[in-house]
Amino acid sequence: MLNINLSASPFFDEMLLAEGEHRDHYAAYWQWLQQADHQAVQRKREEAALLFHRVGITFNVYDDDNGAERLIPFDSVPRIIPAAEWAMLDAGIRQRVQALNAFLYDIYHEQHILKAGVIPAEQVLANEQYQPCMQGVDLHRNIYAHIIGVDMVRNSDGEYYVLEDNLRTPSGVSYMLENRKMMMRLYPELFAQQRIAPVERYPSHLLQTLRESSPVNDPTVVVLTPGRFNSAYFEHSFLAQQMGVELVESADLFVKDGMLFMRTTAGPCKVHVIYRRVDDAFLDPLAFRPDSMLGVPGLLSVYRAGNVVLANAIGTGVADDKSIYPYVPDMVRFYLQEEPILNNVPTWQCRHKNELSYVLANLEKMVVKEVHGAGGYGMLIGPAASKAELAHFRDLLLARPQNYIAQNTLALSTCPTFVNDGLAPRHIDLRPFALSGAEIRLVPGGLTRVALTEGSLVVNSSQGGGTKDTWVLEDDLC
């Protein structure tokens, strides 16, 4: 039998109540778990690792001296969300995505929110992610962020909080899709016992969203990748294959007569939409970094003329900058005249002297992040930091306070996770993916990331994190 001696967790546990009993929406899974055979489960875990490796579901770590590809650990205990809970999250994400796109349109046009003093103008206009070349550029449907990944955590109070918004090149959706395929292959009986909302429609939703981003009838869509050495190359090729569109690199594209073309064996083919997984700075060596080998010379001029669509748009990074994140609830109120459904994590901006003083006085209790950071790098988790690490970050904050924000250390919820000797609680987060075209589309659920190291709060794959399948029960979903 499986070792499931799970004690009550001091954190909010997704599966278990404080008394150690299972939550109602885990009833069917809990019953199956009681009867599961440890050796059989272990064999299935090994089978999953082998299949993921064969498919090529790996990622690169940039600071790995060996440049080796790593397998993202997959945990077969699902994170389950009841339908009513998902309905709230779905509404909150749609609201947030709508406000973020309104903000991006505004700051590149009339700048009403800056003139009203809701957000300090210098935090936007002097932000390194703000692109002056986008000022006055009109985009189809006024959509800047066609794909947004919203990172959420649940605190000890049982409430969800948005940790950050990913608007540049959000990744991870391929793992969401492959995790579901793997669970259905390994445990078909679990899907027969309950109604679990499907996620496999995401690629068709993505293609429809990309097509709707162009005013052209039947537009040609491509996925632009930096190449196979990029950490998310598997996802780039996976999504291109799933959508049935071409995966291209910069050498496959060229500009002629104000239009963008793709080289094919049948001759040049006009391209109307690029789902780009290349950062702004590398997109066009004539406009941005002249040393870029990843971009297409002249692409910006074609884009500004409206002859090609980039998803996401150039300049969206300013909206997922961590110094702008605290203002998203204000964006909801300003543009939508609504109260935010989802709350932010309370955040201190170290650029403000009084807030910096508070952070320095409570550094051992705080999580400190670089405003442009990603992947779990450049971050301090105060309660787990050594005296040397605290002293180092204190110096960084004093030297360049505008580069950092700080948050209280959250008690991230846990979910039982398979470890070597059975099940144990591990901290998790959730990244749903929202698509903005003629309408906002979400598949129920998202990518659940899990910190596999005991006690760790860092879920990023580059920091040793893994992933879980996310089940939204559709018992009362329409």
Side-chain angles (χ1 to χ4, degrees), residues 60 224-234 236 247-250 277-278 294:
N60 296 324
L224 175 62
T225 177
R228 64 186 184 90
F229 294 109
N230 183 267
S231 63
Y233 181 72
F234 165 77
H236 307 165
L247 178 70
V248 300
E249 297 183 32
S250 59
R277 300 298 293 260
V278 175
L294 306 177

Side-chain angles (χ1 to χ4, degrees), residues 52 72-77 172 175-176 179 447-450 452 459 461 465-469:
F52 276 144
I72 293 184
F74 164 70
D75 182 66
S76 56
V77 180
Y175 306 121
M176 174 191 79
N179 287 351
L447 177 66
T448 290
R449 300 183 297 178
V450 54
L452 294 173
V459 300
S461 56
T467 63
K468 290 174 174 283
D469 193 11

Side-chain angles (χ1 to χ4, degrees), residues 422-469:
L423 288 175
R426 292 293 185 266
H427 295 288
I428 59 173
D429 77 350
L430 176 66
R431 177 179 289 181
F433 296 88
L435 302 171
S436 297
E439 60 183 272
I440 298 174
R441 301 178 178 92
L442 286 86
V443 294
L447 177 66
T448 290
R449 300 183 297 178
V450 54
L452 294 173
T453 302
E454 185 176 2
S456 174
L457 299 174
V458 182
V459 300
N460 305 79
S461 56
S462 55
Q463 306 290 312
T467 63
K468 290 174 174 283
D469 193 11

Side-chain angles (χ1 to χ4, degrees), residues 306-361:
N307 293 331
V308 72
V309 173
L310 294 175
N312 288 340
I314 292 173
T316 55
V318 68
D320 74 7
D321 184 281
K322 292 179 177 63
S323 70
I324 300 299
Y325 155 87
Y327 297 104
V328 178
D330 296 318
M331 297 177 197
V332 172
R333 298 184 185 98
F334 186 82
Y335 295 114
L336 308 183
Q337 288 78 53
E338 299 171 0
E339 280 302 306
I341 297 171
L342 297 172
N343 293 317
N344 274 13
V345 177
T347 301
W348 283 265
Q349 300 203 56
C350 298
R351 66 176 61 237
H352 303 312
K353 191 172 182 180
N354 60 328
E355 297 186 33
L356 174 63
S357 298
Y358 178 85
V359 171
L360 291 172

Side-chain angles (χ1 to χ4, degrees), residues 118-133:
V118 176
I119 303 175
E122 66 274 10
Q123 278 190 240
V124 174
L125 303 181
N127 191 295
E128 68 178 48
Q129 296 297 325
Y130 183 81
Q131 295 288 359
C133 64

